[in-house]
Amino acid sequence: MAVSQRDQYLRYRSLCESMKRAVDAVSSHIHRAGSACSEVSPSQFAALEALYSRGPLHQGELACAISRSSGNMTVIVDNLERRGLVTRCGVHGDRRVVQICLTEKGAHLIELLLPEHRSRLIDVFSGLDEADFARCDALLREIAARIGGSDAES
Amino acid sequence: MAVSQRDQYLRYRSLCESMKRAVDAVSSHIHRAGSACSEVSPSQFAALEALYSRGPLHQGELACAISRSSGNMTVIVDNLERRGLVTRCGVHGDRRVVQICLTEKGAHLIELLLPEHRSRLIDVFSGLDEADFARCDALLREIAARIGGSDAES
DNA sequence: ATCGAACAGTTCGACATCAAAATGCTACCG
DNA sequence: CGGTAGCATTTTGATGTCGAACTGTTCGAT
């Protein structure tokens, strides 16, 4: 009750700003022109990585894994396929689904990209207070969950 | 030294994920179809709000204020102008720059949108621990600053 | 068997976004 | 005055993104 609703709102705005800025900064740091990761778009990177760590996925699963719409996923896969990094394989027994598989070229590329991706991430985050870090992670998860949870009802 | 570099990397990945998810969730919550704010795109909303709170701005200042490229800003202003929400005014003495001004219609719209924007933000964030909140904000700022700072040198 | 609901992907239209090239001005220098 | 450097904006071309409409498939109910 010490704080007015208006002050609270302003602090919320501030956190929103900080979140956006941090996300943009990290993403642009990783995909900066000249870095190895700049060879693929963020979405493409996310897709390749998901396929690399989890193996072949249905296009829908992949879309879900990297939080993209199905329409968008079609385009992303189109572009990856055009460069020969993934293939669309039919699934025996259900002709509705397409399995997306990394090609050798795709696997090679993501293996090439991951070390730099990793070192850039370490650049950015290392040395920060671990406890703050964990609390921040938890808070952000709580925020996302809160919205996700209240989504269905509203 | 208790934690391996690999563990650290995984925690970094986790925070990145959480950040992205939280940002996406908040943004989609606010601009959800049906909400008043869904009448304009997030970029358009940001532009209108910046103009509303700071007064007329050069197109370049506006781009900077909402972290968009100049090319992108042109399109955003085009779309706002097309709907009669802003106008481009020449500046006396320097014909290179364009001043972007809210029209009455634009000011009216943003005034209509802000209350709902505000209440949706409060929905999302209220009740969270204030101390965590502040620490999280500080951490995110530190991350963005760290990248922004190291940007020039690299 | 076949109808219809549910599902997986694709297509389409609109907008967003960026980087790079082009345009149009200003300012400065000789 | 004329040239050049630099800035603000626009244009262009490629990609990303979504939501809605569409196509084809599966599967359950009748």
Side-chain angles (χ1 to χ4, degrees):
Chain A
M1 55 187 67
V3 291
S4 74
Q5 239 197 10
R6 165 148 213 100
D7 285 345
Q8 218 163 25
Y9 169 67
L10 292 178
R11 239 159 327 132
Y12 296 164
R13 288 299 317 271
S14 163
L15 185 61
C16 280
E17 281 282 301
S18 303
M19 290 195 302
K20 270 202 248 292
R21 260 199 266 273
V23 167
D24 288 350
V26 170
S27 166
S28 78
H29 180 64
I30 287 173
H31 291 90
R32 176 180 319 300
S35 85
C37 294
S38 68
E39 295 197 29
V40 296
S41 75
S43 291
Q44 289 174 353
F45 182 87
L48 291 177
E49 193 193 25
L51 292 171
Y52 184 68
S53 65
R54 299 177 45 182
L57 294 171
H58 296 179
Q59 186 163 313
E61 294 171 333
L62 186 52
C64 180
I66 68 173
S67 302
R68 294 301 189 289
S69 71
S70 67
N72 187 7
M73 199 69 244
T74 297
V75 180
I76 295 170
V77 173
D78 282 349
N79 289 330
L80 289 173
E81 197 176 29
R82 186 155 41 76
R83 291 176 57 181
L85 301 173
V86 304
T87 53
R88 288 181 158 100
C89 313
V91 170
H92 188 71
D94 191 342
R95 255 171 298 181
R96 287 174 307 178
V97 310
V98 218
Q99 186 104 238
I100 313 297
C101 308
L102 272 184
T103 60
E104 280 199 21
K105 189 176 166 193
H108 186 72
L109 179 62
I110 187 68
E111 280 171 4
L112 191 72
L113 263 40
L114 276 176
E116 177 164 339
H117 177 260
R118 190 165 152 171
S119 74
R120 278 181 179 258
L121 224 45
I122 290 177
D123 280 354
V124 172
F125 289 114
S126 66
L128 296 175
D129 183 90
E130 288 287 330
D132 282 356
F133 207 91
R135 264 196 296 261
C136 186
D137 195 18
L139 185 68
L140 293 172
R141 279 171 197 278
E142 164 68 18
I143 289 167
R146 194 179 276 218
I147 294 172
S150 71
D151 241 11
E153 342 159 12
S154 74
Chain B
M1 55 187 66
V3 290
S4 73
Q5 239 197 8
R6 163 147 214 100
D7 285 345
Q8 217 164 24
Y9 169 67
L10 292 178
R11 238 157 331 127
Y12 296 164
R13 289 298 317 272
S14 163
L15 184 62
C16 280
E17 280 284 301
S18 303
M19 290 194 303
K20 269 201 250 287
R21 259 199 266 274
V23 168
D24 288 350
V26 170
S27 166
S28 78
H29 180 64
I30 286 173
H31 292 91
R32 176 181 320 298
S35 84
C37 294
S38 68
E39 295 197 29
V40 296
S41 74
S43 291
Q44 288 173 352
F45 182 88
L48 291 178
E49 193 194 24
L51 291 172
Y52 185 69
S53 65
R54 300 176 45 183
L57 295 170
H58 295 179
Q59 186 164 312
E61 294 171 335
L62 186 52
C64 180
I66 68 173
S67 303
R68 295 299 189 287
S69 71
S70 67
N72 188 8
M73 198 68 243
T74 296
V75 181
I76 295 170
V77 173
D78 283 348
N79 290 328
L80 289 173
E81 197 176 29
R82 186 155 38 77
R83 292 177 57 182
L85 301 173
V86 304
T87 52
R88 288 180 157 103
C89 313
V91 170
H92 188 72
D94 190 344
R95 255 171 296 183
R96 286 174 309 177
V97 311
V98 215
Q99 187 103 235
I100 312 297
C101 308
L102 272 183
T103 60
E104 279 199 22
K105 188 175 168 195
H108 186 73
L109 179 62
I110 188 68
E111 280 170 5
L112 191 73
L113 264 39
L114 276 175
E116 178 164 339
H117 177 260
R118 190 167 154 170
S119 75
R120 280 183 178 255
L121 224 45
I122 290 176
D123 280 354
V124 172
F125 289 114
S126 67
L128 296 175
D129 183 89
E130 288 285 330
D132 282 357
F133 207 90
R135 264 197 294 262
C136 186
D137 195 17
L139 185 69
L140 293 171
R141 279 170 195 277
E142 163 67 19
I143 289 167
R146 194 180 277 218
I147 294 171
S150 71
D151 240 12
E153 342 159 12
S154 73

Short mmCIF file of all heavy atoms in Angstrom, two decimals, chain A residues 81-125:
data_model
loop_
_atom_site.label_atom_id
_atom_site.label_comp_id
_atom_site.label_asym_id
_atom_site.label_seq_id
_atom_site.Cartn_x
_atom_site.Cartn_y
_atom_site.Cartn_z
N GLU A 81 15.35 -26.29 -46.44
CA GLU A 81 15.38 -27.36 -47.43
C GLU A 81 16.08 -26.86 -48.71
O GLU A 81 16.86 -27.59 -49.33
CB GLU A 81 13.95 -27.81 -47.74
CG GLU A 81 13.87 -29.16 -48.43
CD GLU A 81 12.43 -29.60 -48.64
OE1 GLU A 81 11.54 -28.73 -48.78
OE2 GLU A 81 12.19 -30.82 -48.66
N ARG A 82 15.77 -25.62 -49.05
CA ARG A 82 16.38 -25.04 -50.25
C ARG A 82 17.90 -25.05 -50.16
O ARG A 82 18.60 -25.22 -51.15
CB ARG A 82 15.85 -23.62 -50.45
CG ARG A 82 16.27 -22.94 -51.72
CD ARG A 82 15.29 -21.87 -52.16
NE ARG A 82 14.78 -21.07 -51.05
CZ ARG A 82 15.46 -20.10 -50.43
NH1 ARG A 82 16.68 -19.83 -50.80
NH2 ARG A 82 14.91 -19.42 -49.44
N ARG A 83 18.40 -24.86 -48.94
CA ARG A 83 19.86 -24.86 -48.77
C ARG A 83 20.40 -26.26 -48.49
O ARG A 83 21.58 -26.43 -48.18
CB ARG A 83 20.22 -23.94 -47.60
CG ARG A 83 19.96 -22.47 -47.93
CD ARG A 83 20.24 -21.58 -46.74
NE ARG A 83 21.60 -21.72 -46.24
CZ ARG A 83 22.06 -21.05 -45.20
NH1 ARG A 83 21.29 -20.22 -44.56
NH2 ARG A 83 23.31 -21.23 -44.79
N GLY A 84 19.51 -27.24 -48.54
CA GLY A 84 19.98 -28.61 -48.37
C GLY A 84 20.36 -28.97 -46.95
O GLY A 84 21.11 -29.91 -46.71
N LEU A 85 19.80 -28.23 -45.98
CA LEU A 85 20.17 -28.50 -44.58
C LEU A 85 19.24 -29.49 -43.91
O LEU A 85 19.60 -30.14 -42.93
CB LEU A 85 20.20 -27.18 -43.80
CG LEU A 85 21.17 -26.13 -44.36
CD1 LEU A 85 21.02 -24.81 -43.64
CD2 LEU A 85 22.61 -26.63 -44.25
N VAL A 86 18.01 -29.57 -44.41
CA VAL A 86 17.05 -30.55 -43.88
C VAL A 86 16.30 -31.17 -45.06
O VAL A 86 16.35 -30.66 -46.17
CB VAL A 86 16.01 -29.91 -42.92
CG1 VAL A 86 16.68 -29.17 -41.78
CG2 VAL A 86 15.07 -28.97 -43.68
N THR A 87 15.64 -32.28 -44.78
CA THR A 87 14.76 -32.87 -45.80
C THR A 87 13.40 -33.14 -45.18
O THR A 87 13.27 -33.33 -43.97
CB THR A 87 15.31 -34.21 -46.32
OG1 THR A 87 15.58 -35.06 -45.20
CG2 THR A 87 16.58 -34.01 -47.11
N ARG A 88 12.39 -33.14 -46.04
CA ARG A 88 11.05 -33.54 -45.62
C ARG A 88 10.88 -35.01 -45.98
O ARG A 88 11.00 -35.37 -47.15
CB ARG A 88 9.99 -32.73 -46.35
CG ARG A 88 9.87 -31.29 -45.92
CD ARG A 88 8.75 -30.61 -46.71
NE ARG A 88 8.23 -29.44 -46.03
CZ ARG A 88 8.55 -28.19 -46.33
NH1 ARG A 88 9.40 -27.95 -47.30
NH2 ARG A 88 8.02 -27.18 -45.66
N CYS A 89 10.59 -35.84 -45.00
CA CYS A 89 10.39 -37.25 -45.28
C CYS A 89 8.96 -37.62 -44.91
O CYS A 89 8.48 -37.24 -43.84
CB CYS A 89 11.33 -38.12 -44.45
SG CYS A 89 13.03 -37.54 -44.46
N GLY A 90 8.30 -38.32 -45.78
CA GLY A 90 6.97 -38.83 -45.45
C GLY A 90 7.07 -39.87 -44.35
O GLY A 90 8.12 -40.47 -44.14
N VAL A 91 6.00 -40.02 -43.61
CA VAL A 91 5.98 -41.02 -42.56
C VAL A 91 5.10 -42.18 -43.02
O VAL A 91 3.99 -41.96 -43.49
CB VAL A 91 5.41 -40.44 -41.24
CG1 VAL A 91 5.17 -41.54 -40.24
CG2 VAL A 91 6.34 -39.39 -40.69
N HIS A 92 5.61 -43.36 -42.88
CA HIS A 92 4.85 -44.53 -43.28
C HIS A 92 3.63 -44.66 -42.37
O HIS A 92 3.75 -44.68 -41.16
CB HIS A 92 5.73 -45.78 -43.15
CG HIS A 92 5.10 -47.01 -43.73
ND1 HIS A 92 4.94 -47.21 -45.09
CD2 HIS A 92 4.56 -48.10 -43.13
CE1 HIS A 92 4.35 -48.36 -45.31
NE2 HIS A 92 4.11 -48.93 -44.13
N GLY A 93 2.46 -44.71 -42.96
CA GLY A 93 1.27 -44.95 -42.15
C GLY A 93 0.43 -43.73 -41.86
O GLY A 93 -0.71 -43.84 -41.42
N ASP A 94 0.98 -42.54 -42.07
CA ASP A 94 0.17 -41.33 -41.90
C ASP A 94 0.66 -40.27 -42.87
O ASP A 94 1.63 -39.58 -42.63
CB ASP A 94 0.25 -40.81 -40.47
CG ASP A 94 -0.80 -39.72 -40.22
OD1 ASP A 94 -1.31 -39.15 -41.20
OD2 ASP A 94 -1.10 -39.44 -39.05
N ARG A 95 -0.05 -40.18 -43.98
CA ARG A 95 0.45 -39.30 -45.03
C ARG A 95 0.20 -37.83 -44.73
O ARG A 95 0.56 -36.96 -45.51
CB ARG A 95 -0.19 -39.69 -46.37
CG ARG A 95 0.78 -40.43 -47.27
CD ARG A 95 0.08 -41.00 -48.47
NE ARG A 95 -0.93 -41.98 -48.11
CZ ARG A 95 -1.66 -42.64 -49.01
NH1 ARG A 95 -1.49 -42.42 -50.29
NH2 ARG A 95 -2.56 -43.52 -48.61
N ARG A 96 -0.45 -37.55 -43.59
CA ARG A 96 -0.65 -36.14 -43.27
C ARG A 96 0.64 -35.51 -42.78
O ARG A 96 0.90 -34.34 -43.00
CB ARG A 96 -1.69 -35.99 -42.15
CG ARG A 96 -3.10 -36.25 -42.58
CD ARG A 96 -4.00 -36.22 -41.38
NE ARG A 96 -3.51 -37.13 -40.33
CZ ARG A 96 -4.10 -37.27 -39.16
NH1 ARG A 96 -5.16 -36.56 -38.85
NH2 ARG A 96 -3.63 -38.11 -38.27
N VAL A 97 1.44 -36.28 -42.07
CA VAL A 97 2.59 -35.68 -41.40
C VAL A 97 3.85 -35.76 -42.24
O VAL A 97 4.00 -36.65 -43.08
CB VAL A 97 2.85 -36.34 -40.03
CG1 VAL A 97 1.58 -36.41 -39.24
CG2 VAL A 97 3.48 -37.70 -40.21
N VAL A 98 4.72 -34.80 -42.01
CA VAL A 98 6.02 -34.79 -42.65
C VAL A 98 7.06 -34.83 -41.55
O VAL A 98 6.93 -34.12 -40.55
CB VAL A 98 6.26 -33.51 -43.45
CG1 VAL A 98 7.00 -33.79 -44.73
CG2 VAL A 98 4.98 -32.79 -43.73
N GLN A 99 8.03 -35.67 -41.74
CA GLN A 99 9.11 -35.73 -40.76
C GLN A 99 10.24 -34.84 -41.28
O GLN A 99 10.60 -34.94 -42.45
CB GLN A 99 9.59 -37.19 -40.66
CG GLN A 99 10.59 -37.43 -39.59
CD GLN A 99 9.97 -38.11 -38.38
OE1 GLN A 99 10.02 -37.60 -37.29
NE2 GLN A 99 9.33 -39.23 -38.59
N ILE A 100 10.74 -33.97 -40.42
CA ILE A 100 11.86 -33.13 -40.83
C ILE A 100 13.15 -33.75 -40.30
O ILE A 100 13.26 -34.01 -39.10
CB ILE A 100 11.72 -31.71 -40.26
CG1 ILE A 100 10.31 -31.16 -40.49
CG2 ILE A 100 12.76 -30.79 -40.88
CD1 ILE A 100 9.93 -31.01 -41.93
N CYS A 101 14.08 -34.00 -41.19
CA CYS A 101 15.34 -34.62 -40.80
C CYS A 101 16.51 -33.73 -41.19
O CYS A 101 16.51 -33.15 -42.27
CB CYS A 101 15.52 -35.96 -41.51
SG CYS A 101 14.13 -37.09 -41.32
N LEU A 102 17.49 -33.66 -40.31
CA LEU A 102 18.74 -32.98 -40.66
C LEU A 102 19.44 -33.78 -41.74
O LEU A 102 19.50 -35.01 -41.68
CB LEU A 102 19.67 -32.93 -39.44
CG LEU A 102 19.56 -31.77 -38.47
CD1 LEU A 102 20.65 -31.91 -37.42
CD2 LEU A 102 19.69 -30.45 -39.19
N THR A 103 19.99 -33.11 -42.73
CA THR A 103 20.88 -33.78 -43.66
C THR A 103 22.27 -33.81 -43.04
O THR A 103 22.51 -33.19 -42.00
CB THR A 103 20.96 -33.02 -44.98
OG1 THR A 103 21.47 -31.71 -44.71
CG2 THR A 103 19.60 -32.89 -45.62
N GLU A 104 23.17 -34.50 -43.69
CA GLU A 104 24.56 -34.48 -43.19
C GLU A 104 25.08 -33.05 -43.21
O GLU A 104 25.76 -32.60 -42.29
CB GLU A 104 25.45 -35.35 -44.08
CG GLU A 104 25.33 -36.82 -43.75
CD GLU A 104 26.52 -37.61 -44.28
OE1 GLU A 104 27.59 -37.00 -44.54
OE2 GLU A 104 26.38 -38.84 -44.43
N LYS A 105 24.75 -32.35 -44.27
CA LYS A 105 25.20 -30.97 -44.39
C LYS A 105 24.65 -30.12 -43.24
O LYS A 105 25.36 -29.30 -42.66
CB LYS A 105 24.72 -30.41 -45.73
CG LYS A 105 25.29 -29.05 -46.08
CD LYS A 105 24.85 -28.62 -47.48
CE LYS A 105 25.12 -27.15 -47.72
NZ LYS A 105 24.43 -26.65 -48.93
N GLY A 106 23.36 -30.36 -42.91
CA GLY A 106 22.74 -29.62 -41.82
C GLY A 106 23.40 -29.94 -40.49
O GLY A 106 23.67 -29.04 -39.68
N ALA A 107 23.65 -31.21 -40.26
CA ALA A 107 24.28 -31.61 -39.00
C ALA A 107 25.68 -31.02 -38.91
O ALA A 107 26.09 -30.52 -37.84
CB ALA A 107 24.34 -33.14 -38.92
N HIS A 108 26.37 -31.05 -40.01
CA HIS A 108 27.71 -30.48 -40.04
C HIS A 108 27.67 -29.00 -39.69
O HIS A 108 28.47 -28.51 -38.89
CB HIS A 108 28.30 -30.68 -41.45
CG HIS A 108 29.73 -30.26 -41.55
ND1 HIS A 108 30.77 -30.98 -40.98
CD2 HIS A 108 30.30 -29.20 -42.16
CE1 HIS A 108 31.91 -30.37 -41.23
NE2 HIS A 108 31.66 -29.28 -41.94
N LEU A 109 26.70 -28.30 -40.30
CA LEU A 109 26.61 -26.86 -40.06
C LEU A 109 26.32 -26.55 -38.60
O LEU A 109 26.98 -25.71 -37.99
CB LEU A 109 25.53 -26.23 -40.94
CG LEU A 109 25.34 -24.72 -40.74
CD1 LEU A 109 26.61 -23.96 -41.10
CD2 LEU A 109 24.17 -24.19 -41.55
N ILE A 110 25.36 -27.23 -38.03
CA ILE A 110 25.00 -26.90 -36.65
C ILE A 110 26.15 -27.25 -35.71
O ILE A 110 26.41 -26.53 -34.74
CB ILE A 110 23.67 -27.60 -36.23
CG1 ILE A 110 23.20 -27.11 -34.86
CG2 ILE A 110 23.79 -29.10 -36.21
CD1 ILE A 110 22.75 -25.68 -34.84
N GLU A 111 26.88 -28.30 -36.02
CA GLU A 111 28.05 -28.64 -35.20
C GLU A 111 29.12 -27.55 -35.30
O GLU A 111 29.85 -27.29 -34.36
CB GLU A 111 28.64 -29.98 -35.64
CG GLU A 111 27.86 -31.15 -35.07
CD GLU A 111 28.30 -32.48 -35.68
OE1 GLU A 111 29.25 -32.49 -36.48
OE2 GLU A 111 27.65 -33.50 -35.35
N LEU A 112 29.16 -26.92 -36.45
CA LEU A 112 30.10 -25.84 -36.65
C LEU A 112 29.67 -24.59 -35.88
O LEU A 112 30.48 -23.84 -35.33
CB LEU A 112 30.17 -25.51 -38.15
CG LEU A 112 31.27 -24.58 -38.63
CD1 LEU A 112 32.61 -25.29 -38.58
CD2 LEU A 112 30.98 -24.11 -40.05
N LEU A 113 28.36 -24.39 -35.83
CA LEU A 113 27.83 -23.17 -35.22
C LEU A 113 27.78 -23.22 -33.70
O LEU A 113 27.99 -22.21 -33.03
CB LEU A 113 26.41 -22.93 -35.76
CG LEU A 113 26.26 -21.97 -36.93
CD1 LEU A 113 27.37 -22.14 -37.93
CD2 LEU A 113 24.91 -22.17 -37.61
N LEU A 114 27.50 -24.39 -33.16
CA LEU A 114 27.26 -24.48 -31.72
C LEU A 114 28.41 -23.97 -30.85
O LEU A 114 28.15 -23.24 -29.89
CB LEU A 114 26.90 -25.92 -31.34
CG LEU A 114 25.42 -26.27 -31.54
CD1 LEU A 114 25.16 -27.73 -31.23
CD2 LEU A 114 24.53 -25.39 -30.66
N PRO A 115 29.66 -24.32 -31.15
CA PRO A 115 30.73 -23.84 -30.26
C PRO A 115 30.78 -22.31 -30.17
O PRO A 115 30.94 -21.76 -29.07
CB PRO A 115 32.00 -24.38 -30.93
CG PRO A 115 31.55 -25.56 -31.70
CD PRO A 115 30.17 -25.21 -32.18
N GLU A 116 30.60 -21.64 -31.30
CA GLU A 116 30.65 -20.19 -31.23
C GLU A 116 29.43 -19.65 -30.49
O GLU A 116 29.53 -18.72 -29.69
CB GLU A 116 30.72 -19.58 -32.63
CG GLU A 116 30.70 -18.07 -32.55
CD GLU A 116 31.16 -17.40 -33.83
OE1 GLU A 116 31.84 -18.04 -34.64
OE2 GLU A 116 30.81 -16.21 -34.00
N HIS A 117 28.29 -20.26 -30.77
CA HIS A 117 27.07 -19.87 -30.08
C HIS A 117 27.29 -19.96 -28.57
O HIS A 117 26.96 -19.05 -27.80
CB HIS A 117 25.94 -20.81 -30.51
CG HIS A 117 24.65 -20.57 -29.83
ND1 HIS A 117 24.22 -21.35 -28.78
CD2 HIS A 117 23.68 -19.64 -30.03
CE1 HIS A 117 23.04 -20.89 -28.38
NE2 HIS A 117 22.69 -19.87 -29.11
N ARG A 118 27.88 -21.06 -28.18
CA ARG A 118 28.13 -21.31 -26.78
C ARG A 118 29.10 -20.29 -26.19
O ARG A 118 28.85 -19.75 -25.11
CB ARG A 118 28.73 -22.71 -26.69
CG ARG A 118 28.83 -23.22 -25.31
CD ARG A 118 29.08 -24.71 -25.41
NE ARG A 118 29.82 -25.16 -24.24
CZ ARG A 118 30.03 -26.44 -23.97
NH1 ARG A 118 29.57 -27.36 -24.80
NH2 ARG A 118 30.67 -26.78 -22.90
N SER A 119 30.15 -20.02 -26.90
CA SER A 119 31.15 -19.12 -26.31
C SER A 119 30.61 -17.70 -26.24
O SER A 119 30.90 -16.94 -25.33
CB SER A 119 32.46 -19.17 -27.09
OG SER A 119 32.33 -18.49 -28.31
N ARG A 120 29.76 -17.35 -27.21
CA ARG A 120 29.18 -16.01 -27.16
C ARG A 120 28.21 -15.88 -26.00
O ARG A 120 28.12 -14.84 -25.35
CB ARG A 120 28.46 -15.70 -28.48
CG ARG A 120 29.42 -15.24 -29.54
CD ARG A 120 28.76 -14.90 -30.83
NE ARG A 120 29.77 -14.45 -31.78
CZ ARG A 120 29.98 -13.18 -32.08
NH1 ARG A 120 29.24 -12.23 -31.56
NH2 ARG A 120 30.93 -12.84 -32.92
N LEU A 121 27.50 -16.94 -25.73
CA LEU A 121 26.57 -16.92 -24.60
C LEU A 121 27.36 -16.78 -23.31
O LEU A 121 26.97 -16.02 -22.41
CB LEU A 121 25.76 -18.22 -24.62
CG LEU A 121 24.27 -18.11 -24.36
CD1 LEU A 121 23.67 -16.97 -25.16
CD2 LEU A 121 23.59 -19.41 -24.68
N ILE A 122 28.46 -17.49 -23.23
CA ILE A 122 29.27 -17.42 -22.02
C ILE A 122 29.86 -16.02 -21.86
O ILE A 122 29.89 -15.47 -20.77
CB ILE A 122 30.36 -18.52 -22.07
CG1 ILE A 122 29.69 -19.89 -21.90
CG2 ILE A 122 31.40 -18.30 -20.98
CD1 ILE A 122 30.63 -21.07 -21.99
N ASP A 123 30.30 -15.44 -22.97
CA ASP A 123 30.75 -14.04 -22.95
C ASP A 123 29.75 -13.15 -22.23
O ASP A 123 30.10 -12.34 -21.38
CB ASP A 123 30.83 -13.47 -24.38
CG ASP A 123 32.10 -13.88 -25.09
OD1 ASP A 123 32.95 -14.50 -24.44
OD2 ASP A 123 32.22 -13.56 -26.29
N VAL A 124 28.49 -13.31 -22.65
CA VAL A 124 27.46 -12.39 -22.20
C VAL A 124 27.12 -12.59 -20.73
O VAL A 124 26.97 -11.64 -19.98
CB VAL A 124 26.19 -12.56 -23.04
CG1 VAL A 124 25.05 -11.74 -22.44
CG2 VAL A 124 26.45 -12.15 -24.47
N PHE A 125 27.01 -13.85 -20.33
CA PHE A 125 26.43 -14.11 -19.02
C PHE A 125 27.43 -14.40 -17.91
O PHE A 125 27.07 -14.32 -16.74
CB PHE A 125 25.47 -15.30 -19.12
CG PHE A 125 24.21 -14.99 -19.87
CD1 PHE A 125 23.93 -15.61 -21.08
CD2 PHE A 125 23.30 -14.09 -19.37
CE1 PHE A 125 22.77 -15.33 -21.78
CE2 PHE A 125 22.12 -13.81 -20.05
CZ PHE A 125 21.86 -14.42 -21.26
#
